[in-house]
Amino acid sequence: MLPMTPKAKKRLFLTVVLLAGLFATLKLTYWVHLHQGKIEIQTQSEKQLKELVSFLDGALSRYESIPHVLSTNPMLANVLNDQQNPDKVQELNLYLEEIQHVTEASDIYLIDALGIAIAASNWQQSFSFIGKDYSFRPYYTDAISGNLGRYYAVGTSSDKRGFYFSYPIYQQGGKGILGAIIVKVDISGIEQQSTSIAIAGQYQFLISDPEDIVFISSVDEWRLKSLTPLTQAKQYALNASKRYAERPIGELLMKPPYESGSQAMLYQLQTGRDHEQYMDNHQLMAKAGWRVHILAPIKPLLSSLPALMLLSASIYLLLALSILFSAERRRNLQRMQLAQSLLEQRVEERTQDLQQANHQLKDTQDELIQAAKLTVIGSLSASINHELNQPLAALRSYAQNTQTFLARNMQDKALDNIKIIIELTDRLADIVGQFKSFTRKSQGTDSATDIGRCIKQALTIVQPAIDKQGVELDVQLPNGNYQVWGDKVRLQQVFVNIMSNAIVAMQQSVKRSLVIRVTSEDKFCISIQDSGPGVRESQMEKIFEPYFTTNERHGLGLGLSISQRIIESMQGQINVANAEEGGAIFQIILPIYLLEER
Ligand code: ADP
């Protein structure tokens, strides 16, 4: 197996965490929903239980007082005292029948002290109670002991489920109990009404007796079933009490087994073919001895669970994914910020490098300009020499003459000579001064510069060479103040370059003339024309390239390229053409800074 990359590991870890979170969310939703749902069901059941119990109480209590009221009628004691009198018995039968009709009781009957029925409302029915022995019934025992008897049972004669109320009949004067009057209530009507209430409340119910036998229920198959296991002893006791007459009693299958003491227990019970889960809440009706159970179905709670779990899983995934997404976004942002700051840092470094390179370039450029200037001076040195030697030789001869005049004591002549010597020295200082100012390194500062003055100063530099070569000079400068914006010393260098190139070019020419002309329209145009051989067509472009020279001995090939840079830095142009009559014409075009004609 290939080893996992850290990225794959991280992805796996995230997936595991995400799935664990999803599982926990589903589990929590399941638990909270069921827990909350059960609490709600229990609260609801308790309420419904109270309502059902109060309904049942009301239904039974309607009949509770009837036996007591009937017992006060002396007719009953009379019949008990005179049981062999058929008229009295019949009269009582009719009376009981009427009362039964009025009260809607199931049956009303009178039993004697031995538990034998003497008279009954159902005297003319085939299952009439008259003559039957009820001494085994607890309601007989209760009444004969002087108490109000209450008992639930299935009628042995009628086979109907009923609730019995009994009351003792006392001997007139209150001495001794002659028998008991019994009112039987048919509970199928009560069951029906209770079932309607249960259907409306969407629950099932059952009522169990003290032996945990269900005798009333909204579900038919639960009826006459035991909630607890039917042991032999229990079966025997049931048979002995005859509470359920001949009806067979089965066991109600419950999972888990029924626990009588616990409330809100969940049981699985059979309804039809299905098994359904219910929550059991119960309450004892103390007087009747009935235990009323409300069985609330859990199914609705479970059926809403899948949708709820789906919803909570969706919300969880949405939240988890949005957290992951925002974390990823934050990481991307940080990465981008890092990249940006790195880029900025690099740009800053490069800018610094560039600035440094620029400075170096400028220094180099300045050096080059200076070198080119010194080269021009170098090429002019022979004529400068000549220019200096002439006044020097004159100085020497004037000085010698002065010496002679002084020796002969010719003071006046000596003084004249000294005057000339001073003038010559001034001239020498002038020449040297101009060269000094030209060769000086420019400060590179721009200012308003007069073109005419600049050309004149350049001419003084090349003048010795002009003179030496016998060049005919024609300078046509305009009258007035023609100013451009730029570095004086550099502009002067441009003129010196072009003029000295022209003088060099005319060395082999028979006619040597240099025409300098300045005109102005929307710009200044300075043209410098010589009578040399001109520039070869093939070299027209090349002559402005650095290091192009045809003057291998003295040239560096930098003069024109530097001149072009200087002119361009002043927003101007420099170009060359050949004149028709021969010779080269250099044209310098410069923007006007100030034009003031006189
Ligand atoms: P350099 O003077 O050192 O040779 P430049 O850049 O000043 O360098 O000139 C380059 C070349 O241009 C010269 O070598 C020459 O061939 C040509 N050139 C310049 N001026 C003239 C001119 N007036 N007439 C003919 N050729 C010229």
Side-chain angles (χ1 to χ4, degrees):
M1 215 172 83
L2 284 170
M4 280 178 105
T5 60
K7 209 172 172 185
K9 265 188 201 163
K10 197 179 161 194
R11 207 170 281 168
L12 184 72
F13 174 72
L14 272 180
T15 315
V16 170
V17 169
L18 201 75
L19 287 177
L22 182 65
F23 179 74
T25 308
L26 289 176
K27 190 98 186 143
L28 192 73
T29 311
Y30 179 85
W31 185 82
V32 169
H33 179 65
L34 284 194
H35 181 73
Q36 210 50 40
K38 279 180 197 168
I39 290 175
E40 276 169 29
I41 289 177
Q42 190 179 359
T43 317
Q44 174 84 351
S45 289
E46 280 166 2
K47 207 173 130 217
Q48 289 168 332
L49 190 61
K50 256 188 209 147
E51 283 167 6
L52 188 63
V53 166
S54 91
F55 166 75
L56 291 166
D57 259 339
L60 291 180
S61 62
R62 270 178 61 205
Y63 300 97
E64 197 177 282
S65 57
I66 296 173
H68 181 224
V69 173
L70 288 176
S71 71
T72 55
N73 189 333
M75 196 201 296
L76 273 71
N78 275 340
V79 170
L80 284 170
N81 283 329
D82 196 5
Q83 290 182 24
Q84 305 312 318
N85 188 334
D87 293 340
K88 278 188 180 172
V89 170
Q90 185 55 22
E91 193 188 352
L92 183 62
N93 280 340
L94 291 171
Y95 173 67
L96 293 179
E97 189 181 359
E98 195 188 324
I99 298 294
Q100 181 260 319
H101 277 300
V102 174
T103 58
E104 290 178 340
S106 167
D107 303 284
I108 304 173
Y109 49 105
L110 181 73
I111 53 174
D112 65 10
L114 298 171
I116 311 292
I118 310 290
S121 60
N122 55 19
W123 58 276
Q124 51 182 348
Q125 303 287 339
S126 57
F127 56 82
S128 176
F129 298 169
I130 296 172
K132 300 271 166 52
D133 182 359
Y134 293 105
S135 59
F136 66 93
R137 290 293 198 201
Y139 58 75
Y140 159 74
T141 329
D142 285 342
I144 239 47
S145 328
N147 298 317
L148 170 70
R150 291 188 191 85
Y151 190 64
Y152 160 76
V154 174
T156 42
S157 317
S158 63
D159 201 35
K160 278 188 199 162
R161 286 171 300 153
F163 194 81
Y164 302 83
F165 292 102
S166 63
Y167 203 80
I169 309 289
Y170 288 93
Q171 184 75 274
Q172 292 223 319
K175 287 177 201 155
I177 293 168
L178 296 171
I181 179 79
I182 323 292
V183 173
K184 181 184 175 185
V185 181
D186 182 7
I187 60 168
S188 60
I190 293 176
E191 185 181 53
Q192 240 170 33
Q193 288 173 38
S194 304
T195 302
S196 308
I197 295 172
I199 290 169
Q202 294 180 323
Y203 62 85
Q204 307 290 3
F205 80 96
L206 60 86
I207 301 174
S208 58
D209 70 10
E211 275 83 41
D212 295 326
I213 308 291
V214 178
F215 59 91
I216 298 181
S217 175
S218 55
V219 180
D220 291 344
E221 59 202 281
W222 293 352
R223 210 173 292 130
L224 298 179
K225 296 269 165 65
S226 173
L227 296 175
T228 48
L230 269 176
T231 56
Q232 250 188 338
K234 192 170 170 182
Q235 194 82 52
Y236 180 76
L238 270 175
N239 290 341
S241 75
K242 293 187 191 166
R243 194 199 277 266
Y244 294 100
E246 301 302 315
R247 303 256 187 122
I249 304 295
E251 260 181 40
L252 187 60
L253 289 174
M254 293 175 91
K255 259 192 224 165
Y258 175 68
E259 276 178 41
S260 56
S262 315
Q263 290 285 10
M265 281 288 288
L266 295 185
Y267 294 112
Q268 205 168 49
L269 283 163
Q270 198 170 359
T271 38
R273 283 185 188 169
D274 297 330
H275 283 88
E276 241 196 80
Q277 208 175 24
Y278 295 95
M279 184 192 280
D280 174 37
N281 283 288
H282 49 85
Q283 188 180 326
L284 184 72
M285 290 170 67
K287 276 192 205 164
W290 293 2
R291 187 168 289 278
V292 182
H293 299 253
I294 292 267
L295 292 152
I298 298 294
K299 206 172 170 183
L301 190 66
L302 297 175
S303 60
S304 62
L305 197 60
L308 199 77
M309 282 172 89
L310 193 73
L311 185 76
S312 71
S314 308
I315 292 172
Y316 164 78
L317 285 175
L318 207 73
L319 268 173
L321 289 178
S322 63
I323 287 170
L324 282 179
F325 179 72
S326 68
E328 186 61 35
R329 234 180 67 138
R330 209 172 35 241
R331 265 201 299 279
N332 276 343
L333 213 71
Q334 278 170 350
R335 251 179 257 149
M336 262 168 64
Q337 275 169 350
L338 194 73
Q340 199 175 336
S341 64
L342 266 175
L343 195 75
E344 274 170 13
Q345 200 183 326
R346 284 217 188 126
V347 167
E348 206 167 306
E349 280 170 16
R350 290 281 169 278
T351 313
Q352 270 178 5
D353 287 353
L354 216 67
Q355 273 171 350
Q356 214 171 342
N358 245 350
H359 279 304
Q360 280 174 357
L361 205 70
K362 196 166 177 311
D363 289 349
T364 314
Q365 205 174 346
D366 288 350
E367 293 303 325
L368 272 177
I369 291 171
Q370 192 62 14
K373 196 152 60 173
L374 295 178
T375 312
V376 178
I377 292 295
S379 72
L380 296 171
S381 63
S383 44
I384 294 164
N385 233 6
H386 173 77
E387 185 79 2
L388 288 175
N389 278 341
Q390 240 188 352
L392 273 175
L395 255 181
R396 186 181 167 77
S397 70
Y398 276 110
Q400 276 174 346
N401 281 350
T402 313
Q403 226 175 10
T404 315
F405 287 141
L406 282 177
R408 290 180 191 165
N409 213 8
M410 295 162 77
Q411 301 271 344
D412 291 347
K413 292 239 178 174
L415 272 175
D416 286 345
N417 267 9
I418 286 169
K419 248 186 217 164
I420 295 168
I421 287 171
I422 290 167
E423 278 170 20
L424 282 170
T425 323
D426 284 348
R427 203 179 144 205
L428 273 174
D430 259 8
I431 295 168
V432 173
Q434 253 149 33
F435 281 100
K436 203 177 144 196
S437 86
F438 180 70
T439 49
R440 200 183 61 218
K441 217 172 178 180
S442 158
Q443 295 301 306
T445 45
D446 291 349
S447 61
T449 303
D450 188 288
I451 300 174
R453 264 190 74 189
C454 215
I455 291 172
K456 279 181 195 160
Q457 279 169 349
L459 277 171
T460 50
I461 306 290
V462 293
Q463 194 64 49
I466 289 174
D467 293 346
K468 196 184 169 198
Q469 293 212 18
V471 176
E472 202 179 299
L473 185 65
D474 178 3
V475 183
Q476 298 172 20
L477 294 181
N479 287 330
N481 206 358
Y482 278 30
Q483 289 188 339
V484 290
W485 185 259
D487 183 337
K488 279 189 192 73
V489 184
R490 294 211 166 144
L491 186 61
Q492 188 187 343
Q493 185 179 350
V494 172
F495 294 139
V496 171
N497 274 340
I498 294 170
M499 288 174 194
S500 62
N501 276 348
I503 294 163
V504 171
M506 289 187 295
Q507 267 172 352
Q508 308 301 325
S509 304
V510 184
K511 187 180 178 255
R512 294 171 190 169
S513 79
L514 186 63
V515 181
I516 299 167
R517 207 173 278 136
V518 179
T519 54
S520 69
E521 273 178 34
D522 53 337
K523 284 183 177 177
F524 291 132
C525 176
I526 304 121
S527 85
I528 300 165
Q529 183 176 0
D530 63 55
S531 58
V535 182
R536 275 195 219 157
E537 284 302 319
S538 60
Q539 293 173 351
M540 281 283 187
E541 296 292 319
K542 283 189 186 159
I543 60 168
F544 290 102
E545 284 173 11
Y547 304 110
F548 176 82
T549 179
T550 52
N551 183 3
E552 253 100 49
R553 274 186 66 194
H554 301 291
L556 271 182
L558 286 172
L560 284 180
S561 82
I562 285 171
S563 297
Q564 192 179 42
R565 293 262 173 89
I566 294 170
I567 294 302
E568 279 173 0
S569 75
M570 293 169 74
Q571 320 304 320
Q573 273 175 309
I574 180 166
N575 46 55
V576 67
N578 286 325
E580 270 176 33
E581 62 274 22
I585 309 171
F586 281 86
Q587 258 190 344
I588 296 166
I589 317 275
L590 281 171
I592 296 171
Y593 178 71
L594 183 73
L595 196 153
E596 211 176 73
E597 282 182 85
R598 247 179 259 153

